[in-house]
Amino acid sequence: MSFAVFTDGSANLPKKMLKGITLLPCDYVLDDEVINYSGDVESFDAHDFYEKLRNGKNAKTSLLNTQLFLTHFEPVLKEGQDIVYISMSSGISGTYNAATIAATELMEEYPDRYIHIVDSMGCGFGSGILAVKAAQLSMEGMDCREASKVLDEAVPHACQYFTVDDLNFLKRTGRVSGVTASIGTMLNIKPILFGDSTGHIISCSKVRGRKSAIEAIAKKYAEKRMDTPDQTVCISHGDCYDDALLLERKVREINPAANVTICEHEPFSGAHVGPGMLGLFFWGKER
């Protein structure tokens, strides 16, 4: 590989997609117990995690700190490799800033090396598909600086649309008001959310009922998808596998050539969206 590729556990990548990618761990707290999440989503007990959230357990997360990046990046620089790190959105976490501080410090110490921090403007597979693209560019032998430009230009095309089953989880993180959450829950209102061009999570529409939400997400795929050789489509779910299968069927009806991966939604951002989260991630014309 021409440069090293890093992301973290919030990228939601299963093992089959991790070739050439190093994952950094993410810590979260579940009812006062600190849990170190390695990023191994296939060993993550999603049902247990989301069932605890359903039963009122409280989960909290914190940013990845600068020291973590210093510790993991420096040995790679000493070996003579440049680095690309795909960060979760700066609009939802301070992790991007922490990584940027570490990169600046290390490039001063190692002036012949280059580190680029990509602000994915997303999370989950939204940053994961960018990390996969970065690894592909590295394995093809592209220079780190050139690849960094390609990746930054790809960010606006990394589309991510999702819905949630319980608005109260978004209320806890300030995404919706308490009144909106209460009324939405009573009326069975399901928001269709996406990561916008500034990396913030906003609502693009609201529908009534779960099936209508799945239909709306599939419609976004039909409207936005690009007809390119890379037909990667990723679906993540917060312990609602049947809904993920339904969404997959609708995606395949739209595009039989779609290369679909279904995976449990990782706990780091899962703590904020809650059980029943259902998301679709793909390369699109625009966000």
Side-chain angles (χ1 to χ4, degrees), residues 99-150:
T100 299
I101 291 169
T104 300
E105 181 176 329
L106 288 168
M107 283 192 290
E108 289 177 357
E109 189 172 349
Y110 299 88
D112 294 332
R113 298 271 57 87
Y114 181 66
I115 304 172
H116 184 66
I117 312 300
V118 177
D119 186 347
S120 72
M121 300 295 181
C123 198
F125 276 125
S127 53
I129 60 174
L130 282 159
V132 171
K133 186 175 184 68
Q136 290 170 343
L137 295 175
S138 179
M139 287 185 280
E140 290 168 3
M142 186 176 287
D143 172 77
C144 185
R145 293 177 187 271
E146 183 181 356
S148 298
K149 293 177 183 177
V150 171

Side-chain angles (χ1 to χ4, degrees), residues 242-263:
D242 288 344
D243 287 345
L245 288 177
L246 177 57
L247 181 56
E248 179 192 22
R249 287 199 295 273
K250 293 186 178 299
V251 165
R252 293 193 185 280
E253 287 171 3
I254 296 164
N255 178 19
N259 178 20
V260 183
T261 294
I262 297 178
C263 196

Side-chain angles (χ1 to χ4, degrees), residues 30 46-58 165-166 169 172 210 237-241 243 274-277:
L30 186 60
H47 175 70
D48 179 70
F49 175 79
Y50 288 111
E51 191 65 15
K52 285 177 178 175
L53 296 188
R54 288 187 183 102
N55 293 327
K57 299 292 186 181
N58 189 31
D165 203 35
D166 186 345
F169 286 93
R172 292 173 195 169
R210 184 71 166 183
H237 65 93
D239 195 30
C240 53
Y241 184 59
D243 287 345
M277 175 274 180

Side-chain angles (χ1 to χ4, degrees), residues 157-173:
H157 301 287
C159 294
Q160 46 216 307
Y161 290 91
F162 67 99
T163 190
V164 296
D165 203 35
D166 186 345
L167 286 165
N168 285 302
F169 286 93
L170 289 171
K171 180 191 75 174
R172 292 173 195 169
T173 55

Side-chain angles (χ1 to χ4, degrees), residues 65-86:
N65 62 50
T66 297
Q67 185 58 50
L68 179 73
F69 295 109
L70 294 172
T71 299
H72 285 84
F73 287 177
E74 187 168 21
V76 176
L77 299 177
K78 284 182 176 179
E79 291 174 359
Q81 271 198 304
D82 295 330
I83 293 171
V84 167
Y85 170 67
I86 311 295

Side-chain angles (χ1 to χ4, degrees), residues 213-226:
I214 295 172
E215 290 278 2
I217 293 173
K219 185 178 179 181
K220 285 294 183 183
Y221 175 66
E223 292 173 354
K224 300 282 189 177
R225 75 180 186 89
M226 290 194 298

